[in-house]
Amino acid sequence: MASETGAGPSTALLTDHYELTMLGSALADGTGDRRCVFEVFARRLPDGRRYGVVAGTARVLEAIADFRFAEAELAQLRSTAVVDDATLSWLADYTFSGDIEGYPEGELYFPGSPILTVRGTFAEAVILETLVLSILNHDSAIASAAARMSGAANGRPIIEMGGRRTHEYAAVAAARAAYLAGFATTSNLEAGRRYGISTRGTVAHAFMLLHDDEEQAFRAQIAKMGTDTTLLVDTYDISAGIDTAVRVAGTELGAIRIDSGDVGPLARRAREQLDRLGAKDTRIVVSGDLDEHAIAALRAEPVDAYGVGTSVVTGSGAPTAGMVYKLVDVEGRPVEKRSTHKESRGGHKSAFRRHRETGTAVEEVICPASRVPELGEHDRALQIPLVRGGQVTGELPTLEDSRRLLRRGLVSLPWEGLKLSHGEPAIPTVFASGEKA
Amino acid sequence: MASETGAGPSTALLTDHYELTMLGSALADGTGDRRCVFEVFARRLPDGRRYGVVAGTARVLEAIADFRFAEAELAQLRSTAVVDDATLSWLADYTFSGDIEGYPEGELYFPGSPILTVRGTFAEAVILETLVLSILNHDSAIASAAARMSGAANGRPIIEMGGRRTHEYAAVAAARAAYLAGFATTSNLEAGRRYGISTRGTVAHAFMLLHDDEEQAFRAQIAKMGTDTTLLVDTYDISAGIDTAVRVAGTELGAIRIDSGDVGPLARRAREQLDRLGAKDTRIVVSGDLDEHAIAALRAEPVDAYGVGTSVVTGSGAPTAGMVYKLVDVEGRPVEKRSTHKESRGGHKSAFRRHRETGTAVEEVICPASRVPELGEHDRALQIPLVRGGQVTGELPTLEDSRRLLRRGLVSLPWEGLKLSHGEPAIPTVFASGEKA
């Protein structure tokens, strides 16, 4: 892959031992040179979910560019005898030279959707399995949950603030995936640096408790951040807190935040109180264990913005997307596992989505890549070229492009596909044979 | 903190925006210099869990040593106007100079246990909140799940192989936490490098499908890895696969792996077949969607080792430990939030565990740090000093120490505390006042 993009630390050991032992054996018996196609897909959506959202592809491409075995990585493999010297030599020269295509980030996916297709020799493609899956499984799980929350918020902004509930680097990727799926901002500063996402934050309860009383804390905050800030009013007594907030900040106060309790009734009472005090434009931000269902339940309440933490960074009950990376073709021959359940469909595949004239999606069609039919006026091809001969092709979608793509995709679903309740996938997956997934 | 340990990339932006805005305000009004105590604890265990396992503390201390604002971090904060110039200057000189004590890794914890106590000025301690919580919440969630699986495996080894189901760096920390909690090995090569954990792996189904038939694949693997390897027998037909495996490898074959299907009956049939073929010492490894309940259900089956992936890296239903970082004391004055529920108990605390003469744990006692009673013969203090004046104190427990500590801790629980079913915490938390948590 283009080395100019490979600026980060090596990702080469973020992988499983068995990929290198497979590599060693395949190099030794010559099968490592066989041309192979690996396909990433999810056999099913998380229990009851109606759609998934692809996220992480750009991170995958960066990670592949940084997948190199320098002396530090080779020394580790040598000292632990994971592979032999011939394999170490091969790894020292490693660079991915194959082709990759896939669903763009922000695209919806369904069971069997070929989300990413990696083509190259067995040797060069097999060792990417774990890294590719780690990124896509994590980021897509977060984006899929976040999209449901964004839908439930129905246009009201959501700030992602779950970094403290997940691994410190997963937090950064989660902020990116949540933004991709419609969140407005994040609390995570590293996500701001890496991805240019707008960051937000004011104070925690610690700041309130640090001061001698609530009024002093409010005054200190306003002195620094101005009256357009958000005052945290639930440290002592919410009603008294709102009185103090408006007395200190005036009716120009930007917002109050309520982080605990039964936020629906609390927001209603807060709204009445703010209006009575003349702070009619002061917004109400609520946070504290919100998930998509809690957000939906607050739709009728006078809430202006949500802060969401734990539920989004843990995928709201589905912390991994369950995608697999399967060998589907060897030298033009479709291959598939055949023992018990968990079978894969062999063969290199392509995919398109059929829509009604109205624009409503009808089905996800998966067909052999060599036999893609001519697409109709309302069909849409789903894969885009990502890498050709080891080089990233052209411009990848930006985060803003992905946000737009996702919005359009969600609008195209049959209405029941947007329900938060448990159900079937919003559209069926149809394989070229006509068989349903 | 000791800069010689701060060899990694800066961790300073792995934090929330609001910590820096609080810092800015507190520096401006002088409250940033107030001596504070922050405490990390979990208000409750994940639903139905009977104990938690502390993990991540050593990673926290490393991350704090790398928490520094170099030009790159300052430039980001300057360009996004998160803080003013005075705060930027303060951050440029930042180094944590306070004290930290906490539960050692591998220690059990219960609701309210003061797992980590950070003491210093408000300014220097408040900005560590997110980083400390991210690490402890992630690593402890994994270790808590892994300990249940280790218990269910009842001495049989478990290999951690879930890296592909979680964020690529969370995978490395998860392998460490699982090992700490009793897993035997990991598939994750980076965990091998960073933490010296023994890594394992042979082949995936892709290796089988790459070859023209199963026998060729087995021969290639044995040629490279010897007959003591593990052959994957469920690609086509398990019974035929075992026949081929023993024909190719001989009765000295190390192990077979079954990765799909109803592994209990399959293992039983495989054992009979292997014995009939004379491969009486060939071990049986099973994997594929195993969690603690599935492992427990396999206790009576002839299984020699387990491979566990998704369930352990996602905390088996509890992907985050839900710990919080709360300000509990300002200049010797206990502080606590008091509005609705979610109250914290104010004050700097210490903790010890009472046991019966038999060694069985009776209760977790949490008392004011300034009023720790003289401990009885069967009491055990739970916190150890970790940092004094910014310097890591002496030797931290090794991973092996933590494994031993956890084993002893689990043995000390009342028998019902080890049940996998939903229940109450294994022992009650008692606060100094005598009030129960």
Side-chain angles (χ1 to χ4, degrees):
Chain A
M1 294 267 296
S3 61
E4 64 273 21
T5 58
S10 171
T11 57
L13 294 189
L14 298 172
T15 193
D16 284 320
H17 188 118
Y18 82 177
E19 286 159 28
L20 296 188
T21 45
M22 281 192 276
L23 173 69
S25 293
L27 290 177
D29 78 351
T31 53
D33 290 333
R34 293 186 175 180
R35 306 295 308 176
C36 288
V37 180
F38 286 85
E39 209 174 78
V40 175
F41 61 94
R43 290 197 177 88
R44 65 195 76 83
L45 297 176
D47 195 27
R49 291 284 181 88
R50 296 165 188 261
Y51 61 85
V53 177
V54 175
T57 314
R59 295 212 310 117
V60 165
L61 298 182
E62 280 171 27
I64 293 176
D66 290 329
F67 198 90
R68 57 175 179 274
F69 292 84
E71 191 40 48
E73 288 74 38
L74 295 172
Q76 170 65 18
L77 297 177
R78 195 180 295 118
S79 72
T80 51
V82 172
V83 288
D84 62 13
D85 288 345
T87 308
L88 289 172
S89 297
W90 187 92
L91 290 171
D93 294 333
Y94 179 77
T95 182
F96 180 71
S97 68
D99 298 335
I100 303 177
E101 48 264 330
Y103 282 36
E105 292 191 89
E107 185 58 87
L108 301 176
Y109 72 87
F110 300 94
S113 298
I115 289 155
L116 200 80
T117 306
V118 178
R119 294 181 288 145
T121 65
F122 180 80
E124 69 180 340
V126 73
I127 59 177
L128 299 177
E129 175 181 17
T130 302
L131 185 59
V132 165
L133 287 178
S134 289
I135 295 173
L136 292 177
N137 271 326
H138 175 267
D139 291 13
S140 299
I142 308 305
S144 299
R148 287 160 54 88
M149 296 171 190
S150 296
N154 204 19
R156 292 173 177 170
I158 311 181
I159 175 172
E160 183 283 313
M161 40 187 262
R164 64 192 53 200
R165 304 290 181 222
T166 187
H167 182 275
E168 67 274 23
Y169 284 102
V172 183
R176 179 183 184 276
Y179 180 74
L180 188 156
F183 278 41
T185 52
T186 179
S187 64
N188 191 283
L189 291 172
E190 183 65 18
R193 171 160 70 172
R194 288 197 197 179
Y195 305 117
I197 302 169
S198 181
T199 62
R200 287 289 185 283
T202 47
V203 304
H205 292 111
F207 184 81
M208 306 303 299
L209 297 172
L210 168 70
H211 287 84
D212 297 336
D213 60 35
E214 196 170 42
E215 178 167 339
Q216 281 193 24
F218 287 166
R219 288 198 186 282
Q221 184 179 340
I222 288 164
K224 200 75 196 164
M225 307 185 211
T227 53
D228 194 35
T229 192
T230 301
L231 294 177
L232 183 58
V233 296
D234 70 342
T235 308
Y236 303 100
D237 174 89
I238 295 177
S239 174
I242 292 173
D243 276 341
T244 307
V246 177
R247 189 175 72 247
V248 170
T251 55
E252 303 300 299
L253 175 61
I256 60 163
R257 178 158 80 101
I258 303 172
D259 183 50
S260 51
D262 189 357
V263 291
L266 290 175
R268 230 176 303 146
R269 267 182 273 160
R271 182 74 272 158
E272 287 163 11
Q273 187 178 355
L274 287 168
D275 289 349
R276 203 165 55 236
L277 294 168
K280 291 186 186 298
D281 294 329
T282 299
R283 297 178 304 281
I284 298 176
V285 183
V286 300
S287 55
D289 292 332
L290 299 180
D291 64 9
E292 61 269 47
H293 303 287
I295 293 169
L298 289 167
R299 251 191 221 184
E301 305 295 349
V303 170
D304 298 285
Y306 304 97
V308 174
T310 306
S311 65
V312 69
V313 301
T314 58
S316 201
T320 183
M323 294 176 189
V324 293
Y325 183 94
K326 290 293 168 192
L327 178 62
V328 294
D329 183 288
V330 178
E331 297 281 1
R333 172 177 57 91
V335 296
E336 58 191 56
K337 179 170 177 294
R338 271 175 315 213
S339 60
T340 53
H341 62 296
K342 289 191 17 178
E343 286 86 0
S344 313
R345 282 179 180 76
H348 175 200
K349 302 173 204 72
S350 190
F352 60 94
R353 192 169 297 151
R354 288 197 199 279
H355 301 80
R356 293 187 205 289
E357 279 181 34
T358 57
T360 302
V362 177
E363 58 189 21
E364 189 92 338
V365 184
I366 300 175
C367 59
S370 58
R371 295 205 303 272
V372 181
E374 193 154 329
L375 298 192
E377 191 185 344
H378 305 295
D379 300 341
R380 189 161 64 79
L382 293 165
Q383 292 183 325
I384 62 171
L386 296 166
V387 172
R388 285 290 174 265
Q391 304 293 320
V392 173
T393 57
E395 293 291 305
L396 295 174
T398 64
L399 277 176
E400 299 303 328
D401 293 335
S402 296
R403 282 164 69 94
R404 277 190 293 272
L405 179 64
L406 175 56
R407 278 198 298 271
R408 282 202 303 272
L410 291 171
V411 166
S412 78
L413 288 183
W415 70 269
E416 66 273 19
L418 295 176
K419 286 169 72 177
L420 293 179
S421 58
H422 276 224
E424 295 300 308
I427 57 173
T429 303
V430 177
F431 287 85
S433 63
E435 180 193 0
K436 299 220 173 178
Chain B
M1 294 266 298
S3 62
E4 63 273 21
T5 59
S10 172
T11 57
L13 294 189
L14 298 172
T15 193
D16 285 320
H17 189 118
Y18 81 177
E19 285 160 27
L20 296 188
T21 46
M22 281 192 276
L23 174 70
S25 293
L27 289 177
D29 78 352
T31 54
D33 290 332
R34 293 186 175 181
R35 305 296 308 177
C36 288
V37 180
F38 286 86
E39 207 174 80
V40 175
F41 61 94
R43 291 195 176 89
R44 66 195 76 82
L45 298 176
D47 198 27
R49 292 285 182 87
R50 296 164 188 261
Y51 62 84
V53 176
V54 175
T57 313
R59 294 211 312 115
V60 165
L61 299 183
E62 280 171 25
I64 293 176
D66 289 329
F67 198 90
R68 57 175 179 272
F69 292 84
E71 191 41 48
E73 288 74 38
L74 295 171
Q76 169 66 17
L77 298 178
R78 195 180 295 118
S79 72
T80 50
V82 173
V83 288
D84 62 12
D85 287 344
T87 308
L88 289 173
S89 296
W90 188 92
L91 290 171
D93 294 332
Y94 179 77
T95 182
F96 179 72
S97 69
D99 299 334
I100 302 177
E101 48 263 329
Y103 282 36
E105 292 190 90
E107 186 58 87
L108 301 176
Y109 72 87
F110 300 93
S113 297
I115 289 154
L116 200 80
T117 305
V118 178
R119 295 181 287 144
T121 66
F122 179 80
E124 69 180 340
V126 74
I127 59 178
L128 299 176
E129 175 180 18
T130 302
L131 184 60
V132 166
L133 287 178
S134 289
I135 295 173
L136 292 177
N137 272 325
H138 175 268
D139 292 14
S140 299
I142 308 305
S144 299
R148 287 159 55 87
M149 296 171 190
S150 297
N154 205 19
R156 291 172 177 171
I158 311 181
I159 176 172
E160 183 281 314
M161 39 188 264
R164 65 192 53 197
R165 304 290 181 222
T166 186
H167 183 276
E168 67 274 22
Y169 284 102
V172 183
R176 180 183 183 276
Y179 181 74
L180 187 156
F183 277 41
T185 52
T186 179
S187 63
N188 191 282
L189 291 173
E190 183 65 18
R193 170 161 68 171
R194 288 197 196 180
Y195 304 118
I197 302 169
S198 181
T199 62
R200 287 289 185 283
T202 47
V203 303
H205 292 111
F207 184 81
M208 306 304 298
L209 298 171
L210 169 70
H211 286 84
D212 297 336
D213 60 34
E214 196 169 42
E215 179 167 339
Q216 281 192 23
F218 286 166
R219 288 197 186 281
Q221 184 179 340
I222 288 164
K224 202 73 196 167
M225 308 185 210
T227 54
D228 194 35
T229 191
T230 301
L231 294 177
L232 184 58
V233 296
D234 69 342
T235 308
Y236 303 101
D237 174 90
I238 294 177
S239 174
I242 292 172
D243 276 342
T244 307
V246 177
R247 190 174 71 247
V248 170
T251 54
E252 303 299 301
L253 174 61
I256 61 163
R257 178 158 79 102
I258 303 171
D259 183 49
S260 51
D262 189 359
V263 291
L266 290 174
R268 229 175 304 144
R269 267 182 273 159
R271 182 74 271 157
E272 286 163 13
Q273 187 179 353
L274 286 167
D275 289 349
R276 204 165 54 237
L277 293 169
K280 291 186 187 298
D281 294 331
T282 299
R283 298 178 303 280
I284 298 176
V285 182
V286 300
S287 55
D289 293 332
L290 299 180
D291 63 9
E292 61 268 47
H293 303 287
I295 292 169
L298 289 167
R299 250 190 222 187
E301 305 296 351
V303 170
D304 298 287
Y306 303 96
V308 174
T310 305
S311 64
V312 68
V313 301
T314 59
S316 201
T320 184
M323 294 176 189
V324 294
Y325 182 95
K326 290 294 168 190
L327 178 62
V328 293
D329 182 289
V330 178
E331 298 280 2
R333 170 176 60 90
V335 296
E336 59 192 55
K337 180 170 176 294
R338 270 175 314 213
S339 61
T340 51
H341 62 298
K342 288 187 24 175
E343 287 86 359
S344 313
R345 281 180 181 76
H348 175 201
K349 303 175 204 70
S350 189
F352 60 94
R353 193 168 297 150
R354 287 196 199 280
H355 300 80
R356 294 189 204 288
E357 277 182 36
T358 58
T360 301
V362 177
E363 58 189 20
E364 189 91 338
V365 184
I366 300 175
C367 57
S370 58
R371 293 203 305 272
V372 181
E374 193 153 330
L375 298 191
E377 193 186 342
H378 305 294
D379 300 341
R380 189 161 63 80
L382 293 165
Q383 292 183 324
I384 61 171
L386 296 167
V387 172
R388 284 291 173 267
Q391 305 293 319
V392 172
T393 57
E395 292 292 305
L396 294 175
T398 64
L399 277 175
E400 299 302 328
D401 294 335
S402 295
R403 283 163 68 94
R404 277 190 292 273
L405 179 63
L406 175 57
R407 278 198 298 271
R408 282 201 303 272
L410 291 171
V411 166
S412 78
L413 288 184
W415 70 269
E416 66 273 19
L418 296 175
K419 286 169 72 176
L420 293 179
S421 58
H422 277 223
E424 295 299 307
I427 57 172
T429 302
V430 178
F431 287 84
S433 63
E435 180 192 0
K436 297 221 174 177

